[in-house]
Amino acid sequence: MADTNSSNDQDFVNSSNSLHFVNNSHLNELENDHLYHFGLSTSKDNLPAMFGDVKFVCCGGSPFRMEAFARFMQDELHMHLPAGLSLCNICSTDRYSMYKVGPVLAVSHGMGMPSISIMLHEIIKLVHYAKCTDVVFLRIGTCGGLGLPAGSVVITSEALDYKFEPCFELPVLGEVKSWPTHLSHDLAVEIQSCSSQDDGFETVVGKTLCTDDFYEGQARLDGAFCEYNDGDKMEYLHKAHESGVKNVEMESSCFAAMTNRGNITSGVICVTLLDRLQGDQVTTLKNDLRDWQERPQQLVARFIKKRLQEAEGQN
């Protein structure tokens, strides 16, 4: 029986103007909180000095992609380093990578909900200890589309589980807890407004199906094991499409639930690598895939620059 905690957590959605990112009184008892997977800690690192100006936490699965995004933001924000210095990975472990470009923090989260959950616990604590305010979290990634041309960009309105319900479930102390997975509508619309008819690709807002697996969990026929047929697969995918699902990936439910619980405005922006109604395998040429993966980054860069320009105009 799922224990739905939406009544408390939903109050925090879309409002990141406070320091109430964490809800754990046990943290007050720690003399030192070691953010193990980042290799950072509250005792040896001055987190407010290092990260206090962060306004945008941008995360994606691949460490290489997040480094490329950080370098892209360097150019977009005209933040070039002095001669002899270079952009470096802040993490001292090989679990995740982290790069800071002014108010933008780029962090890798690995693949799947268990991996992004670990990263989110520690990055949410990091912005809390750093005393950040008005922070926006954005997941930038790839996905499979449903009824969209490959290369389209989908901004998630809400993440659905395998039953097409907008919730994230997690067993805690032997009981299944459940949290809502709605994302900020205003943020989604604002990011979509940063797209252009001249982009050469479609940018849509819609629901995202979030799964625990890349193969059977996403109704693929090409995994090592498969106990259903093509008709079963298409029936499930069409049911998802009829439920408003525009794309399929493996992190959005956890991301939405945890940022909601942390009083953090957040969004998910992904590019489709194929239309799952047409097939299972990604056969696009490598150069095209690289270009497509840059599309969410370009959209997010426009959004960040827009927000920074607005903030500068208010000062």
Side-chain angles (χ1 to χ4, degrees), residues 234-253:
M234 295 308 298
E235 180 181 1
Y236 183 74
L237 292 181
H238 279 296
K239 185 177 179 180
H241 193 222
E242 291 166 2
S243 299
V245 171
K246 297 293 186 183
N247 63 331
V248 187
E249 46 87 273
M250 296 191 293
E251 293 87 17
S252 58
S253 287

Side-chain angles (χ1 to χ4, degrees), residues 43-153:
S43 63
K44 74 178 181 67
D45 299 300
N46 187 340
L47 299 181
M50 294 171 66
F51 302 104
D53 63 338
V54 167
K55 297 297 181 183
F56 307 94
V57 174
C58 302
C59 61
S62 164
F64 301 104
R65 193 183 306 154
M66 296 320 294
E67 179 181 0
F69 174 71
R71 295 189 184 282
F72 174 59
M73 289 307 304
Q74 268 190 304
D75 293 336
E76 291 292 303
L77 300 180
H78 306 292
M79 291 186 172
H80 301 292
L81 297 173
L85 298 180
S86 63
L87 191 69
C88 64
N89 181 8
I90 299 171
C91 293
S92 62
T93 75
D94 60 357
R95 298 296 184 179
Y96 302 101
S97 64
M98 181 189 301
Y99 301 88
K100 187 175 184 296
V101 180
V104 180
L105 198 61
V107 192
S108 68
H109 60 59
M111 189 178 297
M113 288 188 278
S115 183
I116 196 173
S117 170
I118 296 168
M119 186 281 292
L120 285 170
H121 272 286
E122 296 189 12
I123 201 70
I124 289 171
K125 289 197 294 179
L126 186 151
V127 297
H128 169 75
Y129 291 134
K131 296 179 169 53
C132 297
T133 58
D134 301 308
V135 185
V136 176
F137 276 42
L138 300 170
R139 178 177 123 66
I140 308 167
T142 59
C143 62
L146 282 185
L148 292 172
S152 302
V153 172

Side-chain angles (χ1 to χ4, degrees), residues 2-297:
D3 175 19
T4 302
N5 301 302
S6 58
S7 59
N8 292 329
D9 291 325
Q10 192 65 26
D11 294 338
F12 296 127
V13 178
N14 307 337
S15 175
S16 303
N17 59 358
S18 71
L19 295 176
H20 301 296
F21 299 130
V22 302
N23 181 20
N24 182 0
S25 61
H26 300 293
L27 296 180
N28 298 327
E29 302 169 7
L30 297 178
E31 293 184 5
N32 171 46
D33 193 351
H34 184 46
L35 307 180
Y36 168 70
H37 299 88
F38 293 156
L40 298 169
S41 74
T42 55
S43 63
K44 74 178 181 67
D45 299 300
N46 187 340
L47 299 181
M50 294 171 66
F51 302 104
D53 63 338
V54 167
K55 297 297 181 183
F56 307 94
V57 174
C58 302
C59 61
S62 164
F64 301 104
R65 193 183 306 154
M66 296 320 294
E67 179 181 0
F69 174 71
R71 295 189 184 282
F72 174 59
M73 289 307 304
Q74 268 190 304
D75 293 336
E76 291 292 303
L77 300 180
H78 306 292
M79 291 186 172
H80 301 292
L81 297 173
L85 298 180
S86 63
L87 191 69
C88 64
N89 181 8
I90 299 171
C91 293
S92 62
T93 75
D94 60 357
R95 298 296 184 179
Y96 302 101
S97 64
M98 181 189 301
Y99 301 88
K100 187 175 184 296
V101 180
V104 180
L105 198 61
V107 192
S108 68
H109 60 59
M111 189 178 297
M113 288 188 278
S115 183
I116 196 173
S117 170
I118 296 168
M119 186 281 292
L120 285 170
H121 272 286
E122 296 189 12
I123 201 70
I124 289 171
K125 289 197 294 179
L126 186 151
V127 297
H128 169 75
Y129 291 134
K131 296 179 169 53
C132 297
T133 58
D134 301 308
V135 185
V136 176
F137 276 42
L138 300 170
R139 178 177 123 66
I140 308 167
T142 59
C143 62
L146 282 185
L148 292 172
S152 302
V153 172
V154 179
I155 303 168
T156 302
S157 58
E158 62 181 356
L160 307 184
D161 66 8
Y162 68 99
K163 296 174 291 185
F164 311 130
E165 296 179 356
C167 66
F168 169 66
E169 294 184 344
L170 181 70
V172 179
L173 301 180
E175 296 183 9
V176 176
K177 302 291 185 178
S178 179
W179 296 275
T181 54
H182 307 288
L183 289 158
S184 169
H185 171 75
D186 291 343
L187 180 64
V189 170
E190 184 179 358
I191 294 173
Q192 186 185 35
S193 72
C194 296
S195 63
S196 168
Q197 292 182 344
D198 298 328
D199 285 337
F201 57 88
E202 187 177 7
T203 298
V204 302
V205 176
K207 299 177 183 179
T208 295
L209 175 61
C210 184
T211 70
D212 293 316
D213 172 63
F214 183 80
Y215 286 98
E216 293 173 291
Q218 296 187 10
R220 279 184 159 85
L221 300 174
D222 59 343
F225 310 101
C226 183
E227 299 173 356
Y228 47 86
N229 59 37
D230 184 66
D232 299 327
K233 161 195 163 179
M234 295 308 298
E235 180 181 1
Y236 183 74
L237 292 181
H238 279 296
K239 185 177 179 180
H241 193 222
E242 291 166 2
S243 299
V245 171
K246 297 293 186 183
N247 63 331
V248 187
E249 46 87 273
M250 296 191 293
E251 293 87 17
S252 58
S253 287
C254 179
F255 179 83
M258 290 187 68
T259 52
N260 282 346
R261 295 178 72 192
N263 188 24
I264 299 167
T265 303
S266 62
V268 177
I269 308 94
C270 292
V271 65
T272 63
L273 301 184
L274 76 165
D275 182 356
R276 285 299 318 287
L277 298 179
Q278 303 299 321
D280 292 343
Q281 295 199 336
V282 179
T283 57
T284 307
L285 295 176
K286 184 177 181 180
N287 288 342
D288 290 334
L289 285 177
R290 185 184 64 246
D291 292 342
W292 290 355
Q293 290 174 10
E294 292 175 354
R295 291 177 176 180
Q297 298 182 15

